[in-house]
Short mmCIF file of all heavy atoms in Angstrom, two decimals:
data_model
loop_
_atom_site.label_atom_id
_atom_site.label_comp_id
_atom_site.label_asym_id
_atom_site.label_seq_id
_atom_site.Cartn_x
_atom_site.Cartn_y
_atom_site.Cartn_z
N GLU U 12 0.84 -1.21 0.00
CA GLU U 12 0.00 0.00 0.00
C GLU U 12 0.86 1.25 0.00
O GLU U 12 0.63 2.19 -0.77
CB GLU U 12 -0.93 0.01 1.22
CG GLU U 12 -2.12 -0.89 1.11
CD GLU U 12 -3.19 -0.57 2.14
OE1 GLU U 12 -2.96 0.32 3.00
OE2 GLU U 12 -4.23 -1.21 2.10
N VAL U 13 1.87 1.29 0.87
CA VAL U 13 2.71 2.48 0.99
C VAL U 13 3.51 2.69 -0.29
O VAL U 13 3.66 3.84 -0.76
CB VAL U 13 3.66 2.35 2.21
CG1 VAL U 13 4.62 3.53 2.26
CG2 VAL U 13 2.83 2.29 3.50
N GLN U 14 3.99 1.62 -0.90
CA GLN U 14 4.74 1.74 -2.16
C GLN U 14 3.86 2.31 -3.27
O GLN U 14 4.32 3.11 -4.09
CB GLN U 14 5.32 0.38 -2.55
CG GLN U 14 6.47 -0.06 -1.66
CD GLN U 14 6.76 -1.53 -1.71
OE1 GLN U 14 6.06 -2.30 -2.40
NE2 GLN U 14 7.79 -1.97 -1.01
N GLU U 15 2.59 1.91 -3.28
CA GLU U 15 1.66 2.45 -4.27
C GLU U 15 1.42 3.93 -4.05
O GLU U 15 1.38 4.73 -5.00
CB GLU U 15 0.33 1.69 -4.19
CG GLU U 15 -0.69 2.12 -5.24
CD GLU U 15 -2.00 1.38 -5.13
OE1 GLU U 15 -2.19 0.58 -4.19
OE2 GLU U 15 -2.87 1.61 -6.00
N MET U 16 1.32 4.34 -2.79
CA MET U 16 1.12 5.74 -2.46
C MET U 16 2.35 6.57 -2.84
O MET U 16 2.23 7.67 -3.38
CB MET U 16 0.80 5.86 -0.96
CG MET U 16 -0.53 5.21 -0.59
SD MET U 16 -0.62 4.62 1.12
CE MET U 16 -0.80 6.15 2.01
N GLN U 17 3.54 6.02 -2.57
CA GLN U 17 4.78 6.72 -2.93
C GLN U 17 4.87 6.88 -4.44
O GLN U 17 5.27 7.94 -4.94
CB GLN U 17 5.99 5.92 -2.43
CG GLN U 17 6.20 6.00 -0.92
CD GLN U 17 7.38 5.16 -0.50
OE1 GLN U 17 7.47 3.97 -0.80
NE2 GLN U 17 8.31 5.76 0.24
N ALA U 18 4.50 5.84 -5.18
CA ALA U 18 4.57 5.89 -6.64
C ALA U 18 3.63 6.96 -7.19
O ALA U 18 3.98 7.71 -8.12
CB ALA U 18 4.23 4.53 -7.23
N MET U 19 2.45 7.08 -6.61
CA MET U 19 1.49 8.10 -7.05
C MET U 19 2.03 9.50 -6.75
O MET U 19 1.90 10.42 -7.56
CB MET U 19 0.15 7.89 -6.35
CG MET U 19 -0.87 9.00 -6.60
SD MET U 19 -1.51 9.08 -8.29
CE MET U 19 -2.83 7.86 -8.17
N ALA U 20 2.63 9.68 -5.57
CA ALA U 20 3.18 10.99 -5.21
C ALA U 20 4.28 11.39 -6.19
O ALA U 20 4.35 12.55 -6.62
CB ALA U 20 3.73 10.96 -3.78
N LYS U 21 5.14 10.46 -6.56
CA LYS U 21 6.21 10.75 -7.52
C LYS U 21 5.62 11.08 -8.89
O LYS U 21 6.10 12.00 -9.58
CB LYS U 21 7.16 9.56 -7.61
CG LYS U 21 8.00 9.38 -6.36
CD LYS U 21 8.91 8.16 -6.44
CE LYS U 21 9.71 7.98 -5.16
NZ LYS U 21 10.56 6.76 -5.20
N LYS U 22 4.60 10.33 -9.29
CA LYS U 22 3.97 10.58 -10.58
C LYS U 22 3.36 11.97 -10.63
O LYS U 22 3.47 12.69 -11.64
CB LYS U 22 2.89 9.52 -10.85
CG LYS U 22 2.10 9.74 -12.13
CD LYS U 22 0.96 8.74 -12.24
CE LYS U 22 0.07 9.04 -13.43
NZ LYS U 22 -1.10 8.13 -13.50
N GLU U 23 2.67 12.35 -9.56
CA GLU U 23 1.98 13.65 -9.51
C GLU U 23 2.91 14.78 -9.09
O GLU U 23 2.48 15.94 -9.06
CB GLU U 23 0.79 13.57 -8.55
CG GLU U 23 -0.28 12.54 -8.95
CD GLU U 23 -0.97 12.90 -10.25
OE1 GLU U 23 -1.08 14.11 -10.54
OE2 GLU U 23 -1.41 11.99 -10.96
N LYS U 24 4.15 14.43 -8.71
CA LYS U 24 5.12 15.42 -8.21
C LYS U 24 4.57 16.20 -7.02
O LYS U 24 4.65 17.42 -6.93
CB LYS U 24 5.54 16.39 -9.32
CG LYS U 24 6.31 15.73 -10.47
CD LYS U 24 6.73 16.72 -11.52
CE LYS U 24 7.64 16.11 -12.56
NZ LYS U 24 7.07 14.94 -13.26
N ARG U 25 4.00 15.45 -6.09
CA ARG U 25 3.44 16.01 -4.86
C ARG U 25 4.20 15.47 -3.65
O ARG U 25 4.80 14.40 -3.69
CB ARG U 25 1.96 15.65 -4.72
CG ARG U 25 1.03 16.16 -5.79
CD ARG U 25 0.87 17.67 -5.76
NE ARG U 25 1.84 18.33 -6.63
CZ ARG U 25 1.95 19.64 -6.76
NH1 ARG U 25 1.19 20.47 -6.05
NH2 ARG U 25 2.83 20.15 -7.58
N PHE U 26 4.14 16.22 -2.57
CA PHE U 26 4.79 15.83 -1.32
C PHE U 26 3.89 14.87 -0.56
O PHE U 26 2.68 15.07 -0.45
CB PHE U 26 5.05 17.07 -0.46
CG PHE U 26 5.61 16.79 0.90
CD1 PHE U 26 6.93 16.44 1.07
CD2 PHE U 26 4.80 16.87 2.02
CE1 PHE U 26 7.45 16.17 2.34
CE2 PHE U 26 5.29 16.62 3.29
CZ PHE U 26 6.63 16.26 3.44
N LEU U 27 4.52 13.81 0.00
CA LEU U 27 3.78 12.82 0.80
C LEU U 27 4.59 12.49 2.04
O LEU U 27 5.78 12.18 1.94
CB LEU U 27 3.54 11.56 -0.04
CG LEU U 27 2.94 10.35 0.72
CD1 LEU U 27 1.55 10.68 1.26
CD2 LEU U 27 2.89 9.13 -0.20
N MET U 28 3.95 12.55 3.21
CA MET U 28 4.62 12.26 4.47
C MET U 28 3.69 11.55 5.43
O MET U 28 2.51 11.89 5.51
CB MET U 28 5.13 13.56 5.12
CG MET U 28 5.94 13.37 6.39
SD MET U 28 6.51 14.94 7.10
CE MET U 28 5.11 15.40 8.13
N GLU U 29 4.23 10.58 6.15
CA GLU U 29 3.47 9.94 7.21
C GLU U 29 3.42 10.86 8.42
O GLU U 29 4.45 11.41 8.83
CB GLU U 29 4.11 8.60 7.60
CG GLU U 29 3.35 7.87 8.69
CD GLU U 29 4.01 6.56 9.07
OE1 GLU U 29 5.24 6.55 9.26
OE2 GLU U 29 3.29 5.55 9.18
N GLY U 30 2.27 11.00 9.01
CA GLY U 30 2.11 11.86 10.18
C GLY U 30 2.49 11.16 11.47
O GLY U 30 1.66 11.01 12.37
N MET U 31 3.75 10.72 11.57
CA MET U 31 4.27 10.14 12.81
C MET U 31 4.79 11.30 13.66
O MET U 31 5.99 11.63 13.67
CB MET U 31 5.38 9.14 12.48
CG MET U 31 6.10 8.55 13.69
SD MET U 31 5.06 7.62 14.81
CE MET U 31 4.81 6.12 13.85
N TRP U 32 3.87 11.96 14.37
CA TRP U 32 4.18 13.24 15.02
C TRP U 32 5.32 13.15 16.04
O TRP U 32 6.10 14.10 16.21
CB TRP U 32 2.92 13.81 15.68
CG TRP U 32 2.48 13.10 16.91
CD1 TRP U 32 2.20 11.76 17.04
CD2 TRP U 32 2.25 13.67 18.19
NE1 TRP U 32 1.81 11.48 18.32
CE2 TRP U 32 1.81 12.63 19.05
CE3 TRP U 32 2.34 14.96 18.71
CZ2 TRP U 32 1.50 12.84 20.39
CZ3 TRP U 32 2.02 15.18 20.06
CH2 TRP U 32 1.60 14.12 20.86
N THR U 33 5.48 11.99 16.67
CA THR U 33 6.52 11.81 17.66
C THR U 33 7.90 12.15 17.11
O THR U 33 8.72 12.77 17.79
CB THR U 33 6.52 10.35 18.16
OG1 THR U 33 5.26 10.07 18.77
CG2 THR U 33 7.63 10.11 19.18
N ARG U 34 8.15 11.76 15.86
CA ARG U 34 9.47 11.94 15.28
C ARG U 34 9.89 13.40 15.17
O ARG U 34 11.06 13.70 14.98
CB ARG U 34 9.51 11.30 13.89
CG ARG U 34 9.66 9.80 13.93
CD ARG U 34 9.80 9.22 12.54
NE ARG U 34 10.36 7.87 12.63
CZ ARG U 34 10.51 7.07 11.59
NH1 ARG U 34 10.18 7.49 10.37
NH2 ARG U 34 11.01 5.87 11.73
N PHE U 35 8.94 14.32 15.28
CA PHE U 35 9.23 15.74 15.10
C PHE U 35 9.24 16.53 16.40
O PHE U 35 9.56 17.72 16.41
CB PHE U 35 8.22 16.35 14.12
CG PHE U 35 8.20 15.66 12.80
CD1 PHE U 35 7.28 14.66 12.52
CD2 PHE U 35 9.12 16.00 11.81
CE1 PHE U 35 7.27 14.01 11.29
CE2 PHE U 35 9.12 15.35 10.57
CZ PHE U 35 8.20 14.35 10.32
N LEU U 36 8.88 15.88 17.52
CA LEU U 36 8.85 16.59 18.80
C LEU U 36 10.28 16.98 19.21
O LEU U 36 11.21 16.18 19.10
CB LEU U 36 8.23 15.71 19.87
CG LEU U 36 6.77 15.31 19.64
CD1 LEU U 36 6.30 14.39 20.77
CD2 LEU U 36 5.87 16.54 19.54
N PRO U 37 10.49 18.21 19.68
CA PRO U 37 11.85 18.68 19.99
C PRO U 37 12.62 17.79 20.95
O PRO U 37 13.80 17.49 20.71
CB PRO U 37 11.60 20.07 20.59
CG PRO U 37 10.32 20.53 19.98
CD PRO U 37 9.48 19.27 19.84
N ALA U 38 12.00 17.33 22.03
CA ALA U 38 12.71 16.50 23.01
C ALA U 38 13.07 15.15 22.41
O ALA U 38 14.20 14.66 22.58
CB ALA U 38 11.87 16.32 24.27
N TYR U 39 12.14 14.53 21.73
CA TYR U 39 12.40 13.23 21.10
C TYR U 39 13.48 13.36 20.05
O TYR U 39 14.41 12.56 19.97
CB TYR U 39 11.11 12.70 20.48
CG TYR U 39 11.24 11.38 19.79
CD1 TYR U 39 11.08 10.19 20.49
CD2 TYR U 39 11.53 11.30 18.43
CE1 TYR U 39 11.21 8.95 19.86
CE2 TYR U 39 11.66 10.08 17.79
CZ TYR U 39 11.50 8.91 18.50
OH TYR U 39 11.63 7.70 17.85
N ARG U 40 13.37 14.42 19.22
CA ARG U 40 14.35 14.62 18.15
C ARG U 40 15.76 14.81 18.71
O ARG U 40 16.73 14.26 18.20
CB ARG U 40 13.93 15.86 17.34
CG ARG U 40 14.68 16.13 16.09
CD ARG U 40 14.21 15.26 14.93
NE ARG U 40 15.05 14.10 14.75
CZ ARG U 40 14.59 12.85 14.64
NH1 ARG U 40 13.30 12.60 14.71
NH2 ARG U 40 15.40 11.84 14.48
N LYS U 41 15.86 15.62 19.78
CA LYS U 41 17.16 15.89 20.40
C LYS U 41 17.74 14.62 20.99
O LYS U 41 18.95 14.35 20.86
CB LYS U 41 17.02 16.98 21.47
CG LYS U 41 18.31 17.35 22.16
CD LYS U 41 19.29 18.05 21.25
CE LYS U 41 20.49 18.57 22.01
NZ LYS U 41 21.49 19.20 21.12
N ALA U 42 16.91 13.83 21.66
CA ALA U 42 17.39 12.59 22.27
C ALA U 42 17.92 11.63 21.20
O ALA U 42 18.99 11.03 21.36
CB ALA U 42 16.27 11.93 23.07
N ILE U 43 17.19 11.50 20.12
CA ILE U 43 17.62 10.61 19.03
C ILE U 43 18.93 11.11 18.44
O ILE U 43 19.86 10.33 18.16
CB ILE U 43 16.53 10.51 17.95
CG1 ILE U 43 15.26 9.86 18.51
CG2 ILE U 43 17.05 9.72 16.74
CD1 ILE U 43 15.41 8.44 18.97
N GLN U 44 19.03 12.41 18.24
CA GLN U 44 20.26 12.99 17.67
C GLN U 44 21.46 12.75 18.58
O GLN U 44 22.56 12.44 18.10
CB GLN U 44 20.06 14.48 17.42
CG GLN U 44 19.14 14.79 16.24
CD GLN U 44 18.78 16.25 16.13
OE1 GLN U 44 19.06 17.05 17.03
NE2 GLN U 44 18.16 16.63 15.02
N GLU U 45 21.26 12.89 19.90
CA GLU U 45 22.36 12.66 20.82
C GLU U 45 22.82 11.20 20.78
O GLU U 45 24.02 10.91 20.81
CB GLU U 45 21.96 13.05 22.25
CG GLU U 45 21.83 14.55 22.45
CD GLU U 45 21.98 14.96 23.88
OE1 GLU U 45 21.58 14.20 24.79
OE2 GLU U 45 22.51 16.06 24.10
N ILE U 46 21.86 10.29 20.68
CA ILE U 46 22.20 8.87 20.57
C ILE U 46 22.97 8.62 19.28
O ILE U 46 24.01 7.95 19.28
CB ILE U 46 20.93 7.99 20.63
CG1 ILE U 46 20.27 8.11 22.00
CG2 ILE U 46 21.27 6.54 20.30
CD1 ILE U 46 18.88 7.52 22.06
#
């Protein structure tokens, strides 16, 4: 499913992102970067 969605985004030249909000939180991001 995800590969099909990625292929469509590339075809249409549109941006596609999963809304995994945790990955963008400042504290989480900083902790991951330090590791």
Side-chain angles (χ1 to χ4, degrees):
E12 282 196 357
V13 175
Q14 288 161 358
E15 183 181 5
M16 294 153 75
Q17 287 178 306
M19 173 69 85
K21 289 178 181 177
K22 176 186 174 184
E23 299 295 330
K24 295 182 173 57
R25 298 291 92 182
F26 175 76
L27 172 63
M28 184 180 87
E29 181 181 47
M31 175 62 74
W32 72 305
T33 299
R34 282 185 162 175
F35 303 96
L36 298 178
Y39 180 89
R40 188 80 262 130
K41 180 68 173 177
I43 296 297
Q44 288 171 349
E45 289 203 326
I46 294 168

